[in-house]
Amino acid sequence: MSIATKAGELRERALAYWIARSEQERKFLAVGAAVVLLALLYLVLLAPALEGREQLRRSLPELRQQAAQLQTLAGEAQALGAQPAIEVAPLTRDALASTMTARGLDPASLTVTGEFARVQLNNVSFANVIAWLDAQRRDSRLTVQDAQFKGLPALGQVDATLTLRQSSPAS
């Protein structure tokens, strides 16, 4: 049996059922069908739209605040991008030695060649070395190319051999 044949039979049964009802029953069935149809339309089409609209209305102030923050950050980024790069003094042995002395680090050997520096530290605090390296990264654009640490029996003390490189503003 095809779908068209089944649909035709179903339509005939429904028509026979409808004709068999009295006028009052037909009115009740029509009103009931209309109520069911309206409820279905409300539940499928109208309710989700109203709920979505209410949800958007509640989230709109927060979204506006986020958009304002993004605009502020974009303005700051644009202003920072327009500023010229900060010139960093070229790497010198004396400058590097003075920053180490200020941190209480006494290098066993310190060699500076162009943009590279090699530092040997003996029996120093690991935390102090890391703090010094972080300061050099920020202030002098020094990055660690190679680092070797050897832990000592005293807690937190190390021997360190560091190879540092000063990066140029373009890199």
Side-chain angles (χ1 to χ4, degrees), residues 105-117:
L105 299 172
D106 184 27
S109 72
L110 174 60
T111 308
V112 176
T113 307
E115 61 186 22
F116 290 95

Side-chain angles (χ1 to χ4, degrees), residues 35-36 67 71 85-86 94 109 124 164:
V35 168
V36 168
Q71 287 177 344
I86 298 172
D94 293 336
S109 72
V124 293
L164 309 172

Side-chain angles (χ1 to χ4, degrees), residues 37-114:
L37 181 63
L38 288 175
L40 188 61
L41 287 174
Y42 176 79
L43 290 174
V44 171
L45 301 176
L46 197 55
L50 292 175
E51 289 172 12
R53 181 177 165 207
E54 180 61 25
Q55 185 180 11
L56 288 174
R57 186 189 64 74
R58 282 181 292 192
S59 65
L60 191 59
E62 182 181 343
L63 292 173
R64 284 188 177 142
Q65 180 183 6
Q66 290 174 355
Q69 287 174 341
L70 284 175
Q71 287 177 344
T72 303
L73 289 174
E76 289 176 12
Q78 189 175 22
L80 287 174
Q83 292 179 354
I86 298 172
E87 289 296 321
V88 176
L91 186 62
T92 64
R93 185 182 192 291
D94 293 336
L96 204 54
S98 69
T99 63
M100 293 175 78
T101 304
R103 286 270 181 191
L105 299 172
D106 184 27
S109 72
L110 174 60
T111 308
V112 176
T113 307

Side-chain angles (χ1 to χ4, degrees), residues 1-60:
M1 235 183 219
S2 70
I3 295 177
T5 312
K6 283 190 174 191
E9 287 179 8
L10 188 59
R11 192 175 327 129
E12 287 177 17
R13 281 192 220 157
L15 186 57
Y17 180 79
W18 185 256
I19 292 173
R21 303 293 130 216
S22 68
E23 190 64 35
Q24 187 178 8
E25 288 176 327
R26 287 182 194 165
K27 285 180 186 177
F28 282 140
L29 287 174
V31 169
V35 168
V36 168
L37 181 63
L38 288 175
L40 188 61
L41 287 174
Y42 176 79
L43 290 174
V44 171
L45 301 176
L46 197 55
L50 292 175
E51 289 172 12
R53 181 177 165 207
E54 180 61 25
Q55 185 180 11
L56 288 174
R57 186 189 64 74
R58 282 181 292 192
S59 65
L60 191 59

